[in-house]
Amino acid sequence: MNTQTSANAQPAHAHSSPGLWIMAWRRLRSDRLAMAALAVVALFLVTLLLSALGLVAKHWDAEVGVNYAPPTFMGAQSAEERGVEGMHAAEAPVPDNPRDPLGPVLKQLRAERDAAAAAGTGGGDAPLDYYGIVDPLAKEIAELRSTLGKDKAAAPVRRATLPFGADKWGHDIILKTIKGSETSITVGLAAALLATVLGTLFGALAGYYGKWTDDFFNWFYSVFTSIPYLLLILAVAAVLQQKGVLTIVLILGLTGWTGVFRLVRAEYIKHKNREYVMAADAIGASDMRKMFVHIFPNISHISFVQMSILTVAFIKSEVILSFLGFGVPVGVASWGSMLNEAQNELILGKWWQLTAASVAMAVLVTAFSLFTDALRDALDPKLK
Amino acid sequence: MNVPAASLRRLHQSCRALAWGAWGILLAALAGMPAQAGAAADPNKVLHVAFEAPDDGFDPARTVNLYSGWVNEAIFERLLTYDYLARPAKLTPMTTEAMPEVADGGKTFTFHIKKGIYFTPDPAFKGQRRELTAQDYVYTIKRLMDPVIRAPSANMVSGKIVGLDALAERAKQTGKFDYDAPVAGLETPDRYTLRIRLNHPDYNFLYATAYHSLGAVAREVIEAYGQQSGAHPVGTGPYMLREYVPRSKIVLVANPDYRGYVWDFKSSGNAWDEQLVRDMQGKQMPQVGRVEISIIEEEQSRWLAFQGGQLDYDKLPQSAAPVVMDGAKLKPEFTRQGVSLYRVTEPEITYTLFNLRDPVVGGYTPEKIALRRAMAMSYNTKEEIALIRKNQAVKAEMLVPAGVVGHDPDYRSSIPYDPDLANRLLDYYGYKRGADGYRNFPDGKALRVDMRREQDSVARQYGELWKRGLDKIGIRLHLTFSNFADNYKASIQCELSSYGGAWFADYPEAENFLQLLYGPNARQGNQSCYQSATYDALYRQFVATPPGPERNRLVIEMNRQFEADTPWTLSSTRYRNWLLRPWVKGFKKHPILLADWPYLDVEKH
């Protein structure tokens, strides 16, 4: 064995030929369209990262504009034009309720607030402690309350216009779109990863073992693909009930693995009888080792390309799910939830939220699709 | 509905026909048969309408779903109904010869049911024509008290009819409701006479007899279909169910066995009524042969369907109001299309209820009331009206809306929108904020409020509004969404922690709203399972008090008790803008009656 190894070994000075990935990268780099698409995708990913780290769009839900503030180039609109004329009328005083068990407490609290306001100590922001306990988190809590509560004292003046307008609550549309990209792209990437892992694993098991294992996975695959895709994801969404990014990832990942499975299974059937696998068998490699150490690297480009295709599909699916009300929970920005909100705004002529979410999604999906096409070409050994 | 006048006219025609020999004999024979007025309905006259939420079946005893009731009113007939044009709403006979005879100081009502009213043929009748009798109403009323059915409208008769509650109580013990057992308060001296005796004088009981849950059902049909009775409605009314795709489509066709009536309602003198009388006076009703109802939950889809001519009339979605309405009028581009507007303030309230049996938001101790009160004080109704309702609503100050007897236009709620005070209240009762800024229970356990809404985009906006308000006071909100029918069923069983609901008047009297919080109605209409001895005592006193200042005072007291315990957060009362295509004739939205179709005509277009 040592002799044979020695005979097959490359001389140290020999020119090493580039591997599959290096050659693929070279081909990819020579494709200007692919590089432009990659740059756009990278830009989105960097934005996502910055958003996730809280470096941008951290306060996307701050109400910085007036309700339905138009984009700056359109100019400010009156409250009547924005349809909110009755909203800022002063609160009428409320009568006392003699039946109220909380009446004396509320009276006391009102008096304390009035006294604090008169003394200029901020009133609404002052944390009260009725138990004589010094709260070590008082400062942090005051800050959190300011963030969560947007108390009157801390409320900034709302702007009449914003560069790309505001939604009905006055959230900046640009920041909301950036925050939405974090959700939508994260969902797309994570769900695609889950679907690819499942599809690859099932495909490997079915293709490698064949016989009843193959029959079982094929039956499983047939059941999944016989149900209309959208109905399947809506059914899973209805069963899971719990809303959230993780839920959407699970919905899409658990329903989206079939395409990967079909391709990977075929590759494993093709590869399992090849000489290098038989050689591995001869040296006593286990089934798992043959499947995932020997065969997988040779078919991994398929999984990789499939994953990028799925990412695009799942970003769109998240948008559809959120649009239909099965997506992210209330209070979480995503492009789908923005489109969901925008459907009623469009009747009112408030087009900016719809435009922002649509354009962001269209640009990313187009760039990702172009990049995926180029990647597939670059990794296809037949196109060398 | 002026049915006696129609019958006399037909009788007169029959007498004249008798004098004309063989043809006369034939006509007389036809006149002797029940009128086939359903044949007057033209099958080519089709109304296309939409419901904004799905029904939950058409068994009158099993539902108070507004949309089920809408259909049930067209299929099942009650003893009494309302005059179509009269405002305020006025009761008139439906299947009775006249208004009931009242005796014993308002405790005994005797109804004389018209002869010759027949149920729609059904296999359950085994080929026999089945006439409506007084016993059908006895059976219908008894069903509302059957513990197995858990009728959500049991409050209409519960505690009111002599001997009926005792029968229901026996059924709870034996597990079987004895429909054959006599009830002292439900007598049928003859086939067509129904005598109802009440335990106490009830000034609203006649309204109950006009409610769709008291539409007559045939015992044979209910027993034949059992649990499926909701999908097999068989009544005596002007329409019958032809096609039913749950949560998607309902098709009604004119009942050929319906006796019919002549449109002869009196104008109240305004221009709208005058036009209605000009369009409809003297017509044999119903005119419309087929009603196609689509369930379209999304506002925008419904609006597009109306604009695209797929609906003949519809409620204007609130989101479209700013582009369609100019104040309270239609914009010229819509009037140019021949679209007309009927605008009305709904006799309804919208609210978010809290389940008083829920471990998070329920309870009656001060800190539990403080939690609910703080939540109520964090909800910005002005924003709701401006941003979600598009200014097509007014704030609901009290449980009884405008247009309903007992409403006080000067009443103001004692619960303000004041998130700052709400924060102080929660601080006071020890709901301390954790490191994430959200509050915990006074014992340190995490506090999270679950709320259910519908799935449409407007309901999502309500969720957002609640979340913004609760964030301001540091309460974590967990929203879930499901369809209206499922939500309603769950809420009526007090299975939801909190839920956004609305109540539309079943009859124009405060009791219909106040009973929603009466303790014994828990799980049968009282969706909060609110149990307050004080409120219940006031309610009983209110029911026994004749209309007048004292009764109105009790309404105020009950509202203040309601605010004190805060089982709900009241929101708003909506304006409804009904848009009509020019070929729809006879439309005037009644404040109580739901089904308009028996009163309408559709011109060729």
Side-chain angles (χ1 to χ4, degrees), chain A residues 289-362:
Chain A
R289 189 170 178 80
K290 279 183 278 181
M291 276 191 320
F292 296 111
V293 177
H294 293 272
I295 301 178
F296 181 69
N298 289 292
I299 63 107
S300 59
H301 62 283
I302 289 175
S303 296
F304 196 62
V305 170
Q306 282 297 304
M307 187 177 152
S308 62
I309 292 172
L310 285 176
T311 304
V312 174
F314 288 161
I315 288 172
K316 288 190 281 187
S317 295
E318 182 280 323
V319 171
I320 293 168
L321 272 178
S322 292
F323 180 80
L324 293 175
F326 286 93
V328 294
V330 167
V332 175
S334 83
W335 292 339
S337 62
M338 288 175 73
L339 293 178
N340 183 302
E341 283 175 37
Q343 60 176 319
N344 287 321
E345 295 174 2
L346 206 56
I347 299 178
L348 307 174
K350 319 289 186 202
W351 50 267
W352 36 96
Q353 180 158 220
L354 178 86
T355 306
S358 306
V359 167
M361 189 181 78

Coordinates of all heavy atoms in Angstrom, one line a residue, chain A residues 289-362:
Chain A
R289 N -19.6 7.1 5.8 CA -18.3 7.7 5.3 C -18.4 7.8 3.8 O -18.0 8.8 3.2 CB -17.1 6.9 5.8 CG -15.8 7.6 5.5 CD -14.6 6.9 6.2 NE -13.4 7.6 5.9 CZ -13.0 8.8 6.4 NH1 -13.7 9.3 7.4 NH2 -11.9 9.4 6.0
K290 N -18.8 6.7 3.2 CA -18.9 6.7 1.7 C -19.9 7.7 1.3 O -19.6 8.4 0.3 CB -19.3 5.3 1.2 CG -18.2 4.3 1.2 CD -18.6 3.0 0.7 CE -19.2 2.1 1.8 NZ -19.7 0.8 1.3
M291 N -21.0 7.8 2.0 CA -22.1 8.7 1.5 C -21.6 10.2 1.7 O -21.8 11.0 0.8 CB -23.3 8.5 2.3 CG -24.2 7.4 1.8 SD -25.8 7.2 2.4 CE -25.8 7.4 4.1
F292 N -21.1 10.5 2.8 CA -20.9 11.9 3.1 C -19.4 12.4 3.0 O -19.2 13.6 3.0 CB -21.5 12.2 4.5 CG -23.0 12.0 4.5 CD1 -23.5 11.0 5.2 CD2 -23.8 12.8 3.7 CE1 -24.9 10.8 5.2 CE2 -25.2 12.6 3.7 CZ -25.7 11.6 4.4
V293 N -18.5 11.5 3.0 CA -17.1 11.9 2.9 C -16.6 11.7 1.5 O -15.9 12.6 0.9 CB -16.2 11.2 3.9 CG1 -14.7 11.6 3.7 CG2 -16.6 11.4 5.3
H294 N -17.1 10.6 0.8 CA -16.6 10.4 -0.5 C -17.5 10.9 -1.6 O -17.1 11.5 -2.5 CB -16.3 8.8 -0.7 CG -15.2 8.3 0.2 ND1 -13.9 8.3 -0.2 CD2 -15.2 7.9 1.5 CE1 -13.2 7.8 0.8 NE2 -14.0 7.6 1.8
I295 N -18.8 10.5 -1.5 CA -19.7 10.9 -2.6 C -20.1 12.3 -2.5 O -20.1 13.1 -3.5 CB -21.0 10.0 -2.6 CG1 -20.6 8.5 -2.7 CG2 -21.9 10.4 -3.7 CD1 -21.7 7.5 -2.7
F296 N -20.5 12.8 -1.3 CA -21.1 14.1 -1.2 C -20.2 15.2 -1.8 O -20.8 16.1 -2.5 CB -21.4 14.4 0.3 CG -22.0 15.8 0.5 CD1 -23.3 16.0 0.0 CD2 -21.3 16.8 1.0 CE1 -23.9 17.3 0.1 CE2 -21.9 18.1 1.1 CZ -23.2 18.3 0.7
P297 N -18.9 15.3 -1.6 CA -18.1 16.3 -2.2 C -18.3 16.4 -3.7 O -18.2 17.4 -4.3 CB -16.7 16.0 -1.8 CG -16.8 15.2 -0.5 CD -18.0 14.4 -0.7
N298 N -18.5 15.2 -4.3 CA -18.7 15.2 -5.8 C -20.0 15.6 -6.3 O -20.2 15.9 -7.5 CB -18.4 13.8 -6.3 CG -16.9 13.4 -6.1 OD1 -16.0 14.0 -6.8 ND2 -16.6 12.5 -5.2
I299 N -21.0 15.7 -5.4 CA -22.3 16.1 -5.9 C -22.7 17.4 -5.2 O -23.8 17.9 -5.4 CB -23.4 15.0 -5.7 CG1 -23.6 14.7 -4.2 CG2 -23.0 13.7 -6.4 CD1 -24.8 15.2 -3.6
S300 N -21.9 17.9 -4.3 CA -22.3 19.0 -3.5 C -22.7 20.3 -4.3 O -23.5 21.1 -3.8 CB -21.1 19.4 -2.5 OG -20.0 19.7 -3.3
H301 N -22.1 20.4 -5.5 CA -22.4 21.6 -6.3 C -23.9 21.7 -6.6 O -24.5 22.7 -6.7 CB -21.6 21.7 -7.6 CG -21.9 20.5 -8.5 ND1 -21.3 19.3 -8.3 CD2 -22.6 20.5 -9.6 CE1 -21.7 18.5 -9.3 NE2 -22.5 19.2 -10.1
I302 N -24.5 20.5 -6.7 CA -26.0 20.4 -7.0 C -26.7 21.0 -5.8 O -27.6 21.8 -5.9 CB -26.4 19.0 -7.3 CG1 -25.9 18.6 -8.6 CG2 -27.9 18.8 -7.2 CD1 -26.1 17.2 -9.1
S303 N -26.4 20.5 -4.6 CA -27.0 21.0 -3.4 C -26.8 22.5 -3.3 O -27.8 23.3 -2.9 CB -26.5 20.3 -2.1 OG -26.7 19.0 -2.2
F304 N -25.6 22.9 -3.6 CA -25.3 24.4 -3.4 C -26.1 25.2 -4.3 O -26.7 26.2 -3.9 CB -23.8 24.5 -3.7 CG -23.2 25.8 -3.2 CD1 -23.2 26.1 -1.9 CD2 -22.7 26.7 -4.1 CE1 -22.7 27.3 -1.4 CE2 -22.2 27.9 -3.7 CZ -22.2 28.2 -2.3
V305 N -26.2 24.8 -5.6 CA -27.0 25.6 -6.6 C -28.5 25.5 -6.2 O -29.2 26.5 -6.2 CB -26.8 25.0 -8.0 CG1 -27.8 25.6 -9.0 CG2 -25.4 25.3 -8.5
Q306 N -28.9 24.3 -5.8 CA -30.3 24.2 -5.4 C -30.7 25.1 -4.2 O -31.7 25.7 -4.1 CB -30.6 22.8 -5.0 CG -30.9 21.8 -6.1 CD -32.1 22.2 -6.9 OE1 -33.2 22.3 -6.4 NE2 -31.8 22.5 -8.2
M307 N -29.7 25.2 -3.3 CA -29.9 26.1 -2.1 C -30.1 27.6 -2.6 O -31.0 28.3 -2.0 CB -28.8 26.0 -1.2 CG -29.0 26.7 0.1 SD -27.7 26.5 1.3 CE -27.8 28.0 2.2
S308 N -29.3 28.0 -3.5 CA -29.4 29.4 -3.9 C -30.8 29.6 -4.7 O -31.4 30.6 -4.5 CB -28.2 29.8 -4.8 OG -28.2 29.0 -6.0
I309 N -31.2 28.6 -5.4 CA -32.5 28.7 -6.1 C -33.6 28.8 -5.1 O -34.6 29.6 -5.2 CB -32.7 27.5 -7.1 CG1 -31.7 27.6 -8.2 CG2 -34.1 27.5 -7.6 CD1 -31.7 26.4 -9.1
L310 N -33.5 27.9 -4.1 CA -34.5 27.9 -3.0 C -34.6 29.2 -2.2 O -35.7 29.6 -1.8 CB -34.3 26.7 -2.1 CG -34.7 25.3 -2.6 CD1 -34.3 24.2 -1.6 CD2 -36.2 25.2 -2.9
T311 N -33.4 29.8 -2.0 CA -33.4 31.0 -1.3 C -34.3 32.1 -1.9 O -35.1 32.7 -1.3 CB -32.0 31.6 -1.2 OG1 -31.1 30.6 -0.6 CG2 -31.9 32.8 -0.4
V312 N -34.2 32.2 -3.3 CA -35.0 33.1 -4.0 C -36.5 32.8 -3.8 O -37.3 33.6 -3.6 CB -34.6 33.1 -5.5 CG1 -35.5 34.0 -6.3 CG2 -33.2 33.6 -5.6
A313 N -36.7 31.5 -4.0 CA -38.1 31.0 -4.0 C -38.7 31.3 -2.6 O -39.9 31.7 -2.4 CB -38.2 29.5 -4.3
F314 N -37.9 31.1 -1.5 CA -38.5 31.2 -0.2 C -38.6 32.7 0.2 O -39.5 33.0 1.1 CB -37.6 30.5 0.8 CG -37.7 29.0 0.7 CD1 -36.7 28.1 1.2 CD2 -38.8 28.4 0.1 CE1 -36.9 26.7 1.1 CE2 -38.9 27.0 0.0 CZ -38.0 26.2 0.5
I315 N -37.8 33.5 -0.3 CA -38.0 34.9 0.0 C -39.4 35.3 -0.6 O -40.2 36.0 0.1 CB -36.9 35.8 -0.7 CG1 -35.6 35.6 0.1 CG2 -37.3 37.3 -0.7 CD1 -34.4 36.3 -0.5
K316 N -39.7 34.8 -1.8 CA -41.0 35.1 -2.3 C -42.1 34.5 -1.5 O -43.2 35.1 -1.3 CB -41.0 34.7 -3.8 CG -40.2 35.5 -4.7 CD -40.4 35.2 -6.2 CE -39.7 34.0 -6.6 NZ -39.8 33.7 -8.1
S317 N -41.8 33.2 -1.1 CA -42.9 32.5 -0.3 C -43.2 33.2 1.0 O -44.3 33.3 1.4 CB -42.4 31.1 0.0 OG -42.3 30.4 -1.2
E318 N -42.1 33.8 1.6 CA -42.3 34.5 2.9 C -43.2 35.7 2.6 O -44.1 36.0 3.4 CB -41.0 35.0 3.5 CG -41.1 35.7 4.8 CD -41.5 37.1 4.7 OE1 -41.1 37.8 3.8 OE2 -42.2 37.6 5.6
V319 N -43.0 36.3 1.5 CA -43.8 37.5 1.2 C -45.2 37.1 1.0 O -46.2 37.7 1.5 CB -43.2 38.2 -0.1 CG1 -44.2 39.3 -0.6 CG2 -41.9 38.8 0.2
I320 N -45.4 36.0 0.3 CA -46.8 35.5 0.0 C -47.5 35.1 1.4 O -48.6 35.5 1.6 CB -46.8 34.3 -0.9 CG1 -46.3 34.8 -2.3 CG2 -48.2 33.6 -1.0 CD1 -46.0 33.7 -3.3
L321 N -46.7 34.3 2.2 CA -47.3 33.9 3.5 C -47.7 35.1 4.3 O -48.8 35.1 4.9 CB -46.3 33.1 4.2 CG -46.3 31.6 3.9 CD1 -45.2 30.9 4.8 CD2 -47.6 30.9 4.3
S322 N -46.8 36.1 4.4 CA -47.1 37.2 5.2 C -48.2 38.0 4.6 O -49.1 38.6 5.4 CB -45.9 38.1 5.4 OG -44.9 37.5 6.1
F323 N -48.3 38.1 3.3 CA -49.4 38.8 2.7 C -50.7 38.2 3.0 O -51.7 38.8 3.2 CB -49.1 38.8 1.1 CG -50.2 39.5 0.4 CD1 -50.3 40.9 0.3 CD2 -51.2 38.8 -0.3 CE1 -51.3 41.6 -0.4 CE2 -52.3 39.5 -0.9 CZ -52.3 40.8 -1.0
L324 N -50.7 36.8 3.0 CA -51.9 36.1 3.3 C -52.3 36.1 4.8 O -53.3 35.5 5.2 CB -51.8 34.7 2.8 CG -51.8 34.5 1.3 CD1 -51.6 33.1 0.9 CD2 -53.1 35.1 0.7
G325 N -51.4 36.6 5.6 CA -51.6 36.7 7.1 C -51.1 35.5 7.9 O -51.4 35.3 9.0
F326 N -50.3 34.6 7.2 CA -49.8 33.4 7.9 C -48.3 33.6 8.2 O -47.7 32.7 8.6 CB -49.9 32.2 7.0 CG -51.3 31.7 6.9 CD1 -52.2 32.1 5.9 CD2 -51.8 30.8 7.8 CE1 -53.4 31.6 5.8 CE2 -53.1 30.3 7.7 CZ -53.9 30.7 6.7
G327 N -47.8 34.8 8.0 CA -46.4 35.0 8.1 C -46.0 35.5 9.4 O -46.4 35.0 10.5
V328 N -45.1 36.6 9.4 CA -44.5 37.0 10.6 C -45.6 37.7 11.5 O -46.6 38.1 11.1 CB -43.4 38.1 10.3 CG1 -42.3 37.4 9.6 CG2 -44.0 39.3 9.6
P329 N -45.3 37.7 12.9 CA -46.3 38.2 13.8 C -46.4 39.8 13.7 O -45.5 40.4 13.1 CB -45.8 37.8 15.1 CG -44.4 37.5 15.0 CD -44.2 37.1 13.5
V330 N -47.4 40.3 14.2 CA -47.6 41.8 14.2 C -46.4 42.4 15.0 O -46.0 41.8 16.1 CB -48.9 42.1 14.9 CG1 -49.0 43.6 15.3 CG2 -50.1 41.7 14.0
G331 N -45.9 43.5 14.5 CA -44.8 44.1 15.2 C -43.4 43.7 14.6 O -42.4 44.3 15.0
V332 N -43.4 42.7 13.7 CA -42.2 42.4 13.0 C -42.3 42.8 11.6 O -43.3 42.5 10.9 CB -42.0 40.8 13.1 CG1 -40.7 40.4 12.3 CG2 -41.8 40.4 14.5
A333 N -41.3 43.6 11.1 CA -41.3 44.1 9.8 C -40.8 43.0 8.8 O -39.8 42.3 9.1 CB -40.5 45.3 9.6
S334 N -41.5 42.8 7.7 CA -41.0 42.0 6.6 C -41.5 42.5 5.4 O -42.5 43.3 5.4 CB -41.4 40.5 6.8 OG -42.7 40.3 6.3
W335 N -40.9 42.2 4.2 CA -41.5 42.7 3.0 C -42.9 42.3 2.8 O -43.7 43.0 2.3 CB -40.6 42.3 1.8 CG -39.2 43.0 1.9 CD1 -38.9 44.1 2.5 CD2 -38.0 42.5 1.2 NE1 -37.6 44.4 2.4 CE2 -37.0 43.4 1.6 CE3 -37.7 41.4 0.4 CZ2 -35.7 43.3 1.1 CZ3 -36.4 41.3 0.0 CH2 -35.4 42.2 0.3
G336 N -43.2 41.0 3.2 CA -44.5 40.5 3.0 C -45.6 41.2 3.8 O -46.6 41.6 3.4
S337 N -45.2 41.5 5.1 CA -46.1 42.2 5.9 C -46.3 43.7 5.4 O -47.4 44.3 5.6 CB -45.7 42.2 7.4 OG -44.5 42.8 7.6
M338 N -45.2 44.2 4.9 CA -45.4 45.6 4.3 C -46.4 45.6 3.1 O -47.2 46.5 3.0 CB -44.0 46.1 3.8 CG -43.1 46.4 5.0 SD -41.4 46.9 4.4 CE -41.7 48.5 3.7
L339 N -46.3 44.6 2.3 CA -47.2 44.5 1.2 C -48.6 44.2 1.7 O -49.6 44.8 1.1 CB -46.8 43.3 0.2 CG -45.5 43.5 -0.5 CD1 -45.2 42.3 -1.4 CD2 -45.6 44.8 -1.4
N340 N -48.7 43.4 2.7 CA -50.0 43.2 3.3 C -50.7 44.5 3.8 O -51.8 44.8 3.5 CB -49.9 42.2 4.5 CG -51.2 41.9 5.1 OD1 -51.9 42.7 5.6 ND2 -51.5 40.6 5.1
E341 N -49.9 45.3 4.5 CA -50.4 46.6 5.0 C -50.7 47.5 3.8 O -51.7 48.3 3.8 CB -49.3 47.3 5.8 CG -49.1 46.8 7.2 CD -48.0 47.5 7.9 OE1 -47.8 48.7 7.7 OE2 -47.3 46.8 8.6
A342 N -49.9 47.4 2.7 CA -50.0 48.4 1.6 C -51.3 48.1 0.8 O -51.7 49.0 0.1 CB -48.8 48.3 0.7
Q343 N -51.8 46.9 0.9 CA -53.0 46.7 0.0 C -54.2 47.6 0.3 O -54.9 48.0 -0.6 CB -53.4 45.2 0.1 CG -53.9 44.8 1.5 CD -54.4 43.4 1.5 OE1 -55.1 43.0 0.6 NE2 -54.0 42.6 2.5
N344 N -54.3 48.0 1.6 CA -55.4 49.0 1.9 C -54.9 50.4 1.7 O -55.7 51.3 1.5 CB -55.8 48.8 3.3 CG -56.7 47.5 3.5 OD1 -57.4 47.2 2.6 ND2 -56.5 46.8 4.6
E345 N -53.6 50.6 1.7 CA -53.1 52.0 1.5 C -53.2 52.4 0.1 O -53.3 53.6 -0.2 CB -51.7 52.1 2.0 CG -51.5 51.9 3.5 CD -50.1 51.8 4.0 OE1 -49.2 52.0 3.1 OE2 -49.8 51.6 5.1
L346 N -53.1 51.4 -0.8 CA -53.1 51.7 -2.2 C -54.4 52.4 -2.7 O -54.4 53.3 -3.5 CB -52.9 50.4 -3.0 CG -52.2 50.6 -4.4 CD1 -50.9 51.3 -4.3 CD2 -52.1 49.3 -5.1
I347 N -55.5 52.0 -2.1 CA -56.8 52.6 -2.4 C -56.8 54.1 -2.1 O -57.3 54.9 -2.7 CB -57.9 52.0 -1.6 CG1 -58.1 50.5 -1.9 CG2 -59.3 52.7 -1.8 CD1 -59.1 49.8 -1.0
L348 N -56.0 54.4 -1.0 CA -55.9 55.8 -0.6 C -54.9 56.6 -1.3 O -54.7 57.8 -1.0 CB -55.6 55.9 0.9 CG -56.5 55.1 1.9 CD1 -56.0 55.1 3.3 CD2 -57.9 55.6 1.8
G349 N -54.2 56.0 -2.2 CA -53.1 56.7 -3.0 C -51.8 56.7 -2.2 O -51.0 57.5 -2.6
K350 N -51.7 56.0 -1.2 CA -50.4 56.0 -0.4 C -49.6 54.8 -1.0 O -49.6 53.7 -0.5 CB -50.6 55.8 1.1 CG -51.8 56.5 1.7 CD -51.6 58.0 1.7 CE -52.7 58.7 2.5 NZ -52.8 60.1 2.2
W351 N -48.8 55.1 -2.0 CA -48.1 54.1 -2.8 C -46.7 53.8 -2.3 O -46.1 52.8 -2.7 CB -48.1 54.5 -4.2 CG -47.5 55.9 -4.4 CD1 -48.2 57.1 -4.5 CD2 -46.1 56.3 -4.4 NE1 -47.4 58.2 -4.6 CE2 -46.1 57.7 -4.6 CE3 -44.9 55.6 -4.4 CZ2 -44.9 58.4 -4.6 CZ3 -43.7 56.3 -4.5 CH2 -43.7 57.7 -4.6
W352 N -46.2 54.6 -1.4 CA -44.8 54.5 -1.1 C -44.3 53.2 -0.4 O -43.3 52.7 -0.7 CB -44.2 55.7 -0.4 CG -45.1 56.4 0.6 CD1 -45.1 56.2 1.9 CD2 -46.2 57.4 0.3 NE1 -46.1 57.0 2.5 CE2 -46.8 57.7 1.5 CE3 -46.7 58.0 -0.9 CZ2 -47.8 58.7 1.6 CZ3 -47.7 58.9 -0.8 CH2 -48.2 59.2 0.5
Q353 N -45.2 52.7 0.5 CA -44.8 51.5 1.2 C -44.8 50.3 0.2 O -43.8 49.5 0.2 CB -45.7 51.2 2.4 CG -45.4 49.9 3.1 CD -45.9 49.8 4.5 OE1 -45.2 49.4 5.4 NE2 -47.1 50.3 4.8
L354 N -45.8 50.2 -0.6 CA -45.9 49.2 -1.6 C -44.7 49.2 -2.5 O -44.0 48.2 -2.8 CB -47.2 49.3 -2.4 CG -47.3 48.3 -3.5 CD1 -48.0 47.0 -3.0 CD2 -48.2 48.9 -4.6
T355 N -44.3 50.4 -3.0 CA -43.2 50.6 -3.9 C -41.9 50.2 -3.3 O -41.1 49.4 -3.9 CB -43.1 52.1 -4.4 OG1 -44.4 52.4 -4.9 CG2 -42.1 52.2 -5.4
A356 N -41.7 50.6 -2.1 CA -40.4 50.3 -1.4 C -40.2 48.8 -1.2 O -39.2 48.2 -1.6 CB -40.4 51.0 0.0
A357 N -41.2 48.1 -0.7 CA -41.1 46.7 -0.5 C -41.0 45.9 -1.8 O -40.2 45.0 -2.0 CB -42.3 46.2 0.3
S358 N -41.8 46.3 -2.8 CA -41.7 45.7 -4.1 C -40.4 45.8 -4.8 O -39.8 44.9 -5.3 CB -42.8 46.2 -5.0 OG -44.1 46.1 -4.4
V359 N -39.9 47.1 -4.8 CA -38.6 47.3 -5.5 C -37.5 46.6 -4.8 O -36.7 45.9 -5.4 CB -38.3 48.8 -5.5 CG1 -36.9 49.1 -5.9 CG2 -39.3 49.5 -6.5
A360 N -37.5 46.6 -3.4 CA -36.4 45.9 -2.7 C -36.4 44.4 -3.0 O -35.4 43.8 -3.3 CB -36.6 46.1 -1.2
M361 N -37.6 43.9 -3.0 CA -37.7 42.4 -3.3 C -37.4 42.1 -4.7 O -36.6 41.2 -5.0 CB -39.1 41.9 -3.0 CG -39.3 40.4 -3.0 SD -40.9 39.9 -2.7 CE -41.7 40.2 -4.3
A362 N -37.8 42.9 -5.7 CA -37.6 42.7 -7.1 C -36.1 42.7 -7.4 O -35.5 41.9 -8.1 CB -38.3 43.7 -7.9

